[in-house]
Amino acid sequence: MELEIIKGVGKKTVSLLNNLNIYNVNDLVEDYPFRYDIIRFGTLNDTIKEYGYIECEIVTYPKSVMIRRNFSKLSFDASIGDDFIHVNIFNRPFLKQTLKLNDTVVLYGKYDKLKNTFLASNIFFDKKNNTIEPIYHLTEGVTENLMRKLISSALSMPIEVIDYIPDSINKKYKLIDKKEALNKIHKPQTINDVKQAKLKLIYEEFFKFMFKVNYLKIKEKKANGIQRKLDEKTSSKYFDLLPFTMTEDQLKACKEIYDDMSSETRMNRLVLGDVGSGKTVVAAYAIYLNYLSKHQTAFMAPTEILAIQHYKSLTKLFKGTKMNIELLTGHMTKKEKNNIYDRLKNHDIDLVIGTHALISEEVTFDNLGLVITDEQHRFGVLQRNNLENKGTRPDVLYLSATPIPRTYALTIYGDTDISIIKTKPKGRKEIITKVVKEKDIKYAYNIIQEELNNDHQVFVVSPLIDNPESELTSVNELKGVLDKEFPNYTIGIIHGKLKQEEKDIIMNEFLNNKIQILISTTVIEVGIDIPNSTIMMIYNAERFGLATLHQLRGRVGRNDLQSYCLLVSNKDNQRLKVMEESNDGFYITEKDFEMRREGDLFGTVQSGDMVFKIGDIRENIKILMQCKIDSEEFITSNEYKEYDIYQQIINEISFLN
Ligand code: ADP
Ligand code: MG
């Protein structure tokens, strides 16, 4: 059903919702809250230590003052019971018109007893009972209130929702009706509502996913692919191109790839290894074998910067061969692109490296023999197929830097063979990781100064952009602090609100050492290589999950320089101890699974390949494992044949034949 059907929704709202990947009414009701606020009214005293809600009456006209550009303060006095307090709220100048004398409003924030001031971070006009409020991911122009209203309207319409869970399983686990689950996830009355709804929706999401994985594994026999006549002697010339010897794990992965590529069955392999473990050189071996058998290779990277980086390093690596290598990105002119298209068709190019541009309709190959996808989670399954189908069943190799334990990997990747690279290349210095309390920040600054003196560069990460209400150190505040501390260096800022092009520009300046200190939120590109940076400093580190911290740390220590990871936190936090203790991604992920993600407000940077709407493979691993078993049973018993929707899913995924 179209979004316009909802009352009050026009073109403008539709395009805003599209920004959130919401294209129809079903998308809207399946846009689940990512967390809830539990509203319990407290007394003023309840809000001294922790954020809370109070109800008060406005007793003076609100005044608004501009503090600096884009930063204003609105204040008024209010009465609460017998008390009178000052109220401040930042960046809401427009409320001046709305707030009226004697209005009763609900404020969310914190009370400063000394100043008798309530610092409100949010304000509500409707009187509230104790409630559970859903919080949604938003985009500019879409507020929480609008989101709630739209979803509420959508839920009251006679929309058709599909329950993907088979009847037998709904019965077995006493799962609630899908429609009821949607109502409860968006408008819960009790915590129990949330729990019931989540169980239903997470189970459904995982079940659908595991059905696909298991169907491919059980029903689709391995398709025939290209059988190459390779000989070990010629193939091993590849290793002479490398300026180092490969680690045992790398060699094992290469052997597995060699066997795959010379056998008649199609290669479908995932190389799983920590950041910096040397996956790319393993992938390059596959490229080399594919080149020897006179086939073309397509190498897909998730971003332009990464594509360029791969292009540079592979061009250098294959300098001694006659391999023709080209780059194809969305930014090239029509003419440049057409040139590449022609040459791909004529087999004038052996290896093309690119971004999404690679899967455009115009790209055709003479004989595509191998498709490599780096950080595969960025691409949807369907997009991947597009490219894979261009040749005659090319071999497929995925690279992923999400170091998940083997049992989980086997579950999630189902029919894919997996090569795991655990050992790091020799000569790498362990990154020294230290938790630093804010009062000891000088210690961290000294290390930074020393590294800057050595012409090295520094990453600084903060969880938020600019939020005056927050106690968290925001990137803009940090810039002020660091500018003072390191006046002789250029400091850049990068965050999620910048356009991709703006980000690319700043990343490039950092890459070329025009910027020495880069402050950012967690947007720093996954996998980007800035070999000259030796420090990763993370503010409010306790706010991040282990996987995120580890991924961030992986930005440094990518060569033989001694690198540091400084975790700034005033909290004694178990996860931070794990970080001090180990540099091993697999160990850390295992710990992460054990400890769950309590308090990881900002999500994981790249639990990547497994982007689910509501399920979280760390938190809900038990449900996932159960879905694996249940979906296998559902397939082998042929029960799935009774369901049209599963026939539809099968059609979507059956690309191998
Ligand atoms: P990944 O893709 O797994 O993050 P890369 O393949 O980009 O890692 O490798 C990181 C760096 O380590 C590269 O500069 C690469 O040349 C180097 N490298 C890879 N394997 C080895 C090895 N066995 N010994 C020394 N250096 C290596
Ligand atoms: Mg990589």
Side-chain angles (χ1 to χ4, degrees):
M1 246 195 281
E2 283 172 23
L3 287 163
E4 273 100 339
I5 272 176
I6 302 169
K7 221 178 95 203
V9 173
K11 273 219 176 70
K12 193 165 155 242
T13 314
V14 169
S15 84
L16 288 174
L17 289 172
N18 289 170
N19 291 339
L20 289 165
N21 287 326
I22 297 171
Y23 296 97
N24 56 46
V25 177
N26 281 76
D27 290 344
L28 183 65
V29 295
E30 289 184 15
D31 183 57
Y32 307 125
F34 71 95
R35 68 179 174 86
Y36 296 89
D37 268 353
I38 297 174
I39 301 187
R40 270 191 212 99
F41 288 108
T43 62
L44 269 181
N45 282 334
D46 291 337
T47 61
I48 293 177
K49 278 226 181 75
E50 269 175 36
Y51 280 79
Y53 291 86
I54 57 164
E55 200 171 48
C56 62
E57 201 181 308
I58 301 174
V59 296
T60 61
Y61 282 107
K63 277 196 293 261
S64 169
V65 288
M66 205 67 183
I67 295 176
R68 58 181 145 85
R69 205 163 74 89
N70 292 330
F71 189 41
S72 66
K73 184 171 84 171
L74 186 83
S75 31
F76 54 87
D77 290 346
S79 72
I80 168 167
D82 295 333
D83 296 321
F84 284 91
I85 54 171
H86 306 294
V87 176
N88 285 337
I89 179 161
F90 289 105
N91 288 337
R92 306 281 205 297
F94 47 86
L95 286 180
K96 211 176 137 198
Q97 269 67 349
T98 333
L99 294 171
K100 304 224 170 56
L101 226 48
N102 301 328
D103 270 1
T104 299
V105 290
V106 173
L107 302 176
Y108 176 71
K110 248 176 148 174
Y111 177 58
D112 183 337
K113 195 164 183 169
L114 224 60
K115 296 186 187 144
N116 189 30
T117 298
F118 191 87
L119 183 58
S121 60
N122 217 340
I123 185 161
F124 308 91
F125 300 96
D126 40 344
K127 265 188 77 134
K128 283 172 187 283
N129 300 318
N130 290 349
T131 51
I132 304 173
E133 299 241 302
I135 309 290
Y136 298 94
H137 285 295
L138 303 172
T139 178
E140 203 159 326
V142 180
T143 61
E144 291 289 352
N145 273 335
L146 178 63
M147 218 41 204
R148 285 177 202 156
K149 245 194 242 156
L150 292 175
I151 289 175
S152 202
S153 309
L155 284 173
S156 66
M157 296 191 322
I159 43 170
E160 206 183 308
V161 292
I162 300 173
D163 185 349
Y164 283 90
I165 306 178
D167 305 334
S168 58
I169 289 177
N170 272 322
K171 248 198 217 128
K172 184 168 151 200
Y173 299 121
K174 301 197 177 64
L175 298 172
I176 59 175
D177 176 68
K178 172 88 180 264
K179 194 91 192 262
E180 185 185 345
L182 290 175
N183 268 305
K184 287 187 167 171
I185 201 85
H186 292 294
K187 302 158 97 176
Q189 301 298 315
T190 63
I191 302 275
N192 201 36
D193 282 353
V194 177
K195 278 191 189 150
Q196 281 182 343
K198 271 194 151 176
L199 181 61
K200 168 80 183 189
L201 299 171
I202 292 170
Y203 187 95
E204 182 187 45
E205 184 170 44
F206 281 164
F207 186 84
K208 212 164 115 187
F209 175 79
M210 285 314 308
F211 175 84
K212 291 183 195 171
V213 168
N214 280 327
Y215 186 85
L216 290 177
K217 192 167 82 181
I218 295 169
K219 294 286 175 180
E220 305 261 350
K221 273 205 287 308
K222 286 230 156 146
N224 281 342
I226 303 159
Q227 185 167 22
R228 293 176 180 73
K229 287 208 170 56
L230 299 168
D231 78 89
E232 296 204 14
K233 195 154 161 271
T234 323
S235 306
S236 65
K237 288 216 167 95
Y238 171 74
F239 301 105
D240 301 336
L241 300 173
L242 298 174
F244 45 73
T245 44
M246 280 197 171
T247 63
E248 236 170 78
D249 285 352
Q250 283 174 315
L251 287 171
K252 183 152 174 275
C254 287
K255 171 83 171 62
E256 286 162 342
I257 287 170
Y258 182 93
D259 289 344
D260 284 347
M261 290 181 71
S262 38
S263 98
E264 63 184 354
T265 39
R266 185 183 189 190
M267 174 164 77
N268 183 20
R269 179 169 295 279
L270 168 75
V271 179
L272 192 62
D274 217 344
V275 273
S277 60
K279 293 181 294 294
T280 314
V281 284
V282 170
Y285 177 66
I287 297 172
Y288 190 74
L289 298 186
N290 194 45
Y291 168 71
L292 288 182
S293 70
K294 303 200 164 52
H295 288 89
Q296 293 168 289
T297 303
F299 192 146
M300 278 211 288
T303 65
E304 187 153 340
I305 289 196
L306 277 171
I308 294 170
Q309 195 166 298
H310 282 316
Y311 172 73
K312 282 188 186 154
S313 67
L314 290 171
T315 307
K316 193 166 144 207
L317 179 63
F318 289 121
K319 210 172 48 204
T321 72
K322 293 208 173 71
M323 200 185 293
N324 282 328
I325 306 176
E326 288 297 340
L327 183 70
L328 179 68
T329 70
H331 277 112
M332 293 168 48
T333 63
K334 191 90 200 130
K335 200 170 148 209
E336 289 169 323
K337 281 187 202 160
N338 282 336
N339 177 287
I340 303 252
Y341 299 154
D342 286 345
R343 291 172 55 213
L344 279 172
K345 206 193 269 170
N346 302 331
H347 206 143
D348 200 15
I349 295 172
D350 302 299
L351 166 63
V352 63
I353 300 159
T355 54
H356 280 85
L358 274 186
I359 44 181
S360 90
E361 292 279 302
E362 291 111 313
V363 183
T364 50
F365 294 84
D366 172 42
N367 69 344
L368 180 62
L370 171 66
V371 176
I372 301 172
T373 311
D374 192 9
E375 315 288 3
Q376 61 141 317
H377 56 280
R378 301 286 187 98
F379 301 98
V381 172
L382 294 174
Q383 278 179 333
R384 293 208 308 259
N385 306 340
N386 234 331
L387 187 54
E388 287 161 24
N389 279 336
K390 289 251 149 119
T392 46
R393 295 215 187 102
D395 287 317
V396 182
L397 190 67
Y398 306 113
L399 310 180
S400 173
T402 311
I404 51 173
R406 192 172 205 110
T407 39
Y408 303 131
L410 287 174
T411 301
I412 289 160
Y413 294 106
D415 66 324
T416 310
D417 296 312
I418 303 178
S419 302
I420 292 189
I421 306 184
K422 260 192 145 167
T423 43
K424 288 254 172 79
K426 275 208 203 67
R428 288 280 162 79
K429 293 210 174 65
E430 289 272 293
I431 301 167
I432 297 175
T433 302
K434 288 259 185 256
V435 179
V436 183
K437 295 235 155 78
E438 229 156 330
K439 67 176 167 53
D440 303 325
I441 197 78
K442 275 278 179 259
Y443 168 84
Y445 289 162
N446 286 341
I447 296 179
I448 292 178
Q449 187 61 61
E450 224 163 274
E451 288 304 300
L452 288 171
N453 290 346
N454 292 331
D455 274 337
H456 296 149
Q457 289 160 279
V458 180
F459 283 107
V460 178
V461 171
S462 151
L464 285 184
I465 300 173
D466 194 4
N467 186 352
E469 304 136 5
S470 163
E471 303 157 285
L472 298 174
T473 323
S474 71
V475 292
N476 287 334
E477 248 178 277
L478 263 180
K479 175 145 169 41
V481 173
L482 295 177
D483 269 335
K484 250 189 233 146
E485 201 67 36
F486 305 103
N488 301 326
Y489 298 92
T490 309
I491 302 181
I493 290 188
I494 196 166
H495 55 74
K497 287 201 177 154
L498 296 177
K499 293 208 185 73
Q500 187 60 46
E501 282 137 56
E502 297 172 302
K503 284 191 238 171
D504 286 352
I505 289 173
I506 296 174
M507 274 325 280
N508 259 321
E509 285 181 355
F510 192 53
L511 189 61
N512 299 323
N513 205 351
K514 293 206 177 87
I515 290 173
Q516 286 79 46
I517 301 177
L518 184 68
I519 306 175
S520 73
T521 51
T522 50
V523 298
I524 319 172
E525 287 304 338
V526 174
I528 191 98
D529 220 348
I530 316 271
N532 192 43
S533 61
T534 53
I535 293 189
M536 168 59 67
M537 170 146 118
I538 303 171
Y539 274 85
N540 295 108
E542 77 283 350
R543 294 271 170 162
F544 296 100
L546 268 176
T548 308
L549 290 172
H550 181 67
Q551 287 296 333
L552 289 171
R553 178 168 64 182
R555 298 300 100 226
V556 298
R558 292 171 75 83
N559 49 32
D560 52 3
L561 298 174
Q562 179 61 58
S563 294
Y564 303 86
C565 176
L566 304 168
L567 304 170
V568 184
S569 175
N570 291 329
K571 305 240 160 75
D572 285 316
N573 178 301
Q574 256 213 307
R575 278 172 297 174
L576 302 186
K577 290 215 181 81
V578 173
M579 289 292 292
E580 281 188 319
E581 195 177 288
S582 173
N583 265 300
D584 174 359
F586 287 94
Y587 172 81
I588 286 173
T589 317
E590 206 116 25
K591 283 277 164 197
D592 199 17
F593 273 87
E594 276 170 30
M595 292 198 262
R596 304 288 170 82
R597 299 197 311 150
E598 13 82 45
D600 182 13
L601 290 178
F602 298 91
T604 40
V605 161
Q606 56 147 220
S607 40
D609 326 64
M610 306 135 247
V611 213
F612 293 105
K613 271 187 175 172
I614 186 163
D616 178 310
I617 62 151
R618 291 184 167 75
E619 232 172 293
N620 314 121
I621 187 71
K622 277 201 186 127
I623 303 180
L624 181 70
M625 292 315 237
Q626 193 59 50
C627 284
K628 173 184 151 75
I629 296 168
D630 292 343
S631 63
E632 270 164 8
E633 162 79 28
F634 184 61
I635 296 165
T636 48
S637 70
N638 284 328
E639 195 186 334
Y640 72 95
K641 290 188 175 159
E642 296 161 25
Y643 291 85
D644 289 347
I645 37 166
Y646 280 95
Q647 205 47 56
Q648 222 170 302
I649 290 180
I650 289 165
N651 291 338
E652 277 169 30
I653 57 174
S654 295
F655 53 85
L656 290 175
N657 293 312

